[in-house]
Amino acid sequence: MNFDLLITHGTVVTADATFTADLAIDAGKIAAILPPNSSSSVALGVAARETRDASGCYVIPGAIDAHVHLNMPTGVGYTADDWCTGTSAAAMGGVTALIDFVETEPDESLLQALEKRLGETHDAIIDFGLHMTIQPDEHPVNGIPRRVSAKRIAEIKQVYDAGCATFKMYMAYPGFQVQDMDLFRALRAIAEVNGLACIHAENGDVIEVLRQSEICDPALALNHARTRPTINEHEAVTRAVMCAEVSGARVLIFHIGCEHAARVVADAKLRGLSHIYGETCPQYLVLTEDALARPDGRLYVCAPPLRPQADQDAMWRMLASRALDIVSTDHCPFTLAQKDKGSADFRQAPGGMPGIETRLGLLHEYGVRRGRLSLNDWVRICSTRPAEIHGMNQKGRVAVGYDADIVIFDPKARKNLTPRELHSAIDWSAYNGLTCTGWPRDVIARGDFVVRDQRLCASPARGRFIRRSF
Ligand code: DUC
Ligand code: ZN
């Protein structure tokens, strides 16, 4: 038995089990899971071009970040990471696949928008999928489209067949917000192809009024949270779940940050609605709204906003109990200069937090090491469930026949989360001052080392578009 690579003496951690084994990798796939030390047994005749010792390390399926915004046009220019810097930073943090977005102009078809977006992805160094955004394209009011056309909804099947099996809809943000009628029509079409809808659930109409109201002193970034109260998120998640239940569509509620909203998903599951899923993000697990009250509070503007400590505590409990399914980053990086547009008025600060490199380490530090998650929970939340929920059928598991996307994670390696030690193309870190004990040492993507001894070694442009289906 001759393999490309053997990973020996590691502790394999999957979503369900922890055991010692050697892994054999061949032609980009996991070829065999061997009893420990079988690679050194001459009698078994196991040989490989390279043997990598993983003693003292966890061998886990590569992390999957199912929610990032690379090279996204915004009011302050593009998000700071392009496909090269973003996927490089992701790989350094143990991510072997991610999912970004296609956004659409009113006058182009969804398939044209997909083609255009694919044309921007050549520099990706890890595999990636794309969510299709369903946004209004007709009946403009003050130049902003308000309705989603029937033509657009009719395209959902073609988009699914093109490997773009997940559809993002916003219930907030002028220009992106879809009205309930359109949300529901789109969900029915998504249900018909058995796709997945990913929903940004906040009540946009109420937010827009509050943002223009007397309670909103623009000099105080904490008002970002006050104008997006938890009950607003709770109401929108309730409405989204009702639409999911009535339409039968599979729905993932994106970036849940508060207990009441998470409970809506938990209750749906208790009622047997197994097609409703919940995502949270590291910023809701590690930071609180206190960050918005700091002099540099504008840096922490994201939506939904950061919440009080009690909500943060609830997010951890909801993950451990499986009420919430996955953690993605919503990586939406802006430089200090871009964020500074909000110095005098937080409403001008571009919304979004960086985090593409730090999720696996933060969940190990604040989840596993603090006793909130087991090692198996950690793998389930960061790798296995994201792959299942988003239709990456070859990824997310250490199992024979799956893509050889593997992280060799050193639980003793220390990492300071300073901008200097991270690789996103921004000049600040949302987690500055924090240290993780435990960090990816080696990252292997479809059998190739993309990170070796914490150094990037990927060939450029090796990432492929993942055609996803359910
Ligand atoms: N929220 C953000 O803060 N940024 C990007 C998109 C989103 O939903
Ligand atoms: Zn997002």
Side-chain angles (χ1 to χ4, degrees):
M1 284 181 283
N2 223 324
F3 301 108
D4 289 339
L5 174 65
L6 279 171
I7 300 172
T8 61
H9 303 110
T11 301
V12 176
V13 183
T14 72
D16 323 295
T18 306
F19 54 95
T20 47
D22 293 351
L23 280 194
I25 290 172
D26 207 50
K29 295 282 183 187
I30 298 171
I33 301 174
L34 303 163
N37 298 321
S38 45
S39 48
S40 47
S41 152
V42 178
L44 286 175
V46 174
R49 276 198 292 119
E50 177 174 0
T51 299
R52 189 74 172 155
D53 186 346
S55 301
C57 293
Y58 304 134
V59 176
I60 63 173
I64 294 172
D65 190 347
H67 185 166
V68 306
H69 300 275
L70 303 179
N71 203 38
M72 179 179 79
T74 75
V76 298
Y78 287 83
T79 49
D81 276 314
D82 60 24
W83 284 84
C84 181
T85 63
T87 56
S88 300
M92 292 294 281
V95 176
T96 51
L98 51 75
I99 313 182
D100 201 293
F101 294 83
V102 183
E103 281 164 13
T104 52
E105 301 292 339
D107 54 356
E108 66 188 351
S109 72
L110 299 184
L111 280 182
Q112 282 166 338
L114 173 60
E115 275 309 302
K116 198 167 80 189
R117 188 65 170 152
L118 280 171
E120 298 169 8
T121 60
H122 298 301
D123 291 337
I125 68 153
I126 55 171
D127 294 348
F128 61 92
L130 291 168
H131 302 291
M132 174 59 68
T133 309
I134 305 291
Q135 59 194 79
D137 61 323
E138 66 173 24
H139 300 173
V141 175
N142 300 331
I144 299 178
R146 299 275 290 169
R147 298 297 309 271
V148 180
S149 65
K151 177 172 158 284
R152 196 150 264 205
I153 288 175
E155 279 186 90
I156 282 173
K157 177 160 174 23
Q158 287 168 283
V159 171
Y160 181 95
D161 290 342
C164 198
T166 50
F167 299 85
K168 164 95 178 262
M169 279 178 284
Y170 289 86
M171 296 169 76
Y173 290 132
F176 287 92
Q177 180 178 336
V178 292
Q179 299 178 17
D180 290 354
M181 194 190 280
D182 294 338
L183 175 76
F184 189 66
R185 285 161 63 228
L187 287 178
R188 282 163 55 102
I190 292 166
E192 235 165 74
V193 296
N194 194 32
L196 173 75
C198 304
I199 299 186
H200 178 128
E202 290 185 288
N203 185 319
D205 293 347
V206 169
I207 290 167
E208 289 316 308
V209 174
L210 288 177
R211 277 164 75 85
Q212 304 312 325
S213 76
E214 67 295 341
I215 68 157
C216 190
D217 175 355
L220 299 179
L222 188 58
N223 278 330
H224 177 65
R226 298 287 174 264
T227 53
R228 307 177 100 97
T230 54
I231 193 167
N232 179 293
E233 186 181 344
H234 178 191
E235 183 278 327
V237 172
T238 306
R239 203 161 14 113
V241 167
M242 178 276 288
C243 290
E245 182 170 353
V246 178
S247 66
R250 300 170 58 240
V251 165
L252 170 68
I253 307 293
F254 265 173
H255 42 47
I256 295 176
C258 66
E259 177 166 12
H260 283 110
R263 284 207 177 279
V264 176
V265 175
D267 288 348
K269 288 179 173 172
L270 286 174
R271 288 190 289 121
L273 301 175
S274 57
H275 60 290
I276 291 168
Y277 315 104
E279 173 201 84
T280 188
C281 309
Q283 50 271 34
Y284 306 115
L285 294 163
V286 177
L287 304 175
T288 67
E289 67 175 14
D290 293 353
L292 287 165
R294 293 178 4 189
D296 61 354
R298 67 192 176 283
L299 299 179
Y300 298 90
V301 167
C302 63
L306 299 177
R307 300 295 189 190
Q309 185 65 51
D311 286 302
Q312 185 196 100
D313 296 342
M315 293 302 101
W316 285 110
R317 290 197 304 274
M318 297 287 194
L319 279 172
S321 69
R322 305 186 185 214
L324 294 177
D325 297 271
I326 62 173
V327 174
S328 319
T329 63
D330 198 8
H331 178 70
C332 191
F334 294 101
T335 61
L336 287 173
Q338 289 175 306
K339 282 282 190 182
D340 278 351
K341 305 273 188 226
S343 298
D345 180 347
F346 74 85
R347 295 170 300 184
Q348 306 304 320
M353 295 283 291
I356 204 164
E357 188 172 358
T358 44
R359 178 183 54 140
L360 199 60
L362 282 172
L363 264 77
H364 180 261
E365 177 65 43
Y366 288 90
V368 176
R369 277 174 42 86
R370 312 274 161 122
R372 290 154 158 160
L373 301 177
S374 70
L375 279 172
N376 310 101
D377 290 336
W378 176 56
V379 168
R380 185 187 76 242
I381 289 164
C382 292
S383 307
T384 307
R385 284 300 277 157
E388 287 170 357
I389 288 175
H390 288 283
M392 291 190 179
N393 304 323
Q394 296 294 303
K395 297 197 183 284
R397 284 175 193 267
V398 177
V400 172
Y402 275 71
D403 283 356
D405 289 359
I406 302 289
V407 172
I408 301 179
F409 188 92
D410 179 354
K412 295 206 172 72
R414 284 174 68 78
K415 181 84 169 176
N416 298 321
L417 304 185
T418 60
R420 254 177 73 87
E421 295 226 12
L422 299 173
H423 300 86
S424 173
I426 54 171
D427 43 0
W428 66 288
S429 160
Y431 305 104
N432 205 20
L434 304 185
T435 301
C436 291
T437 301
W439 201 256
R441 186 190 80 183
D442 301 329
V443 182
I444 296 156
R446 274 188 288 102
D448 301 333
F449 277 84
V450 292
V451 174
R452 199 186 270 273
D453 291 323
Q454 291 197 31
R455 288 208 171 76
L456 193 70
C457 59
S459 358
R462 59 167 299 291
R464 290 187 196 150
F465 176 58
I466 307 166
R467 294 174 66 91
R468 293 173 297 125
S469 61
F470 296 102

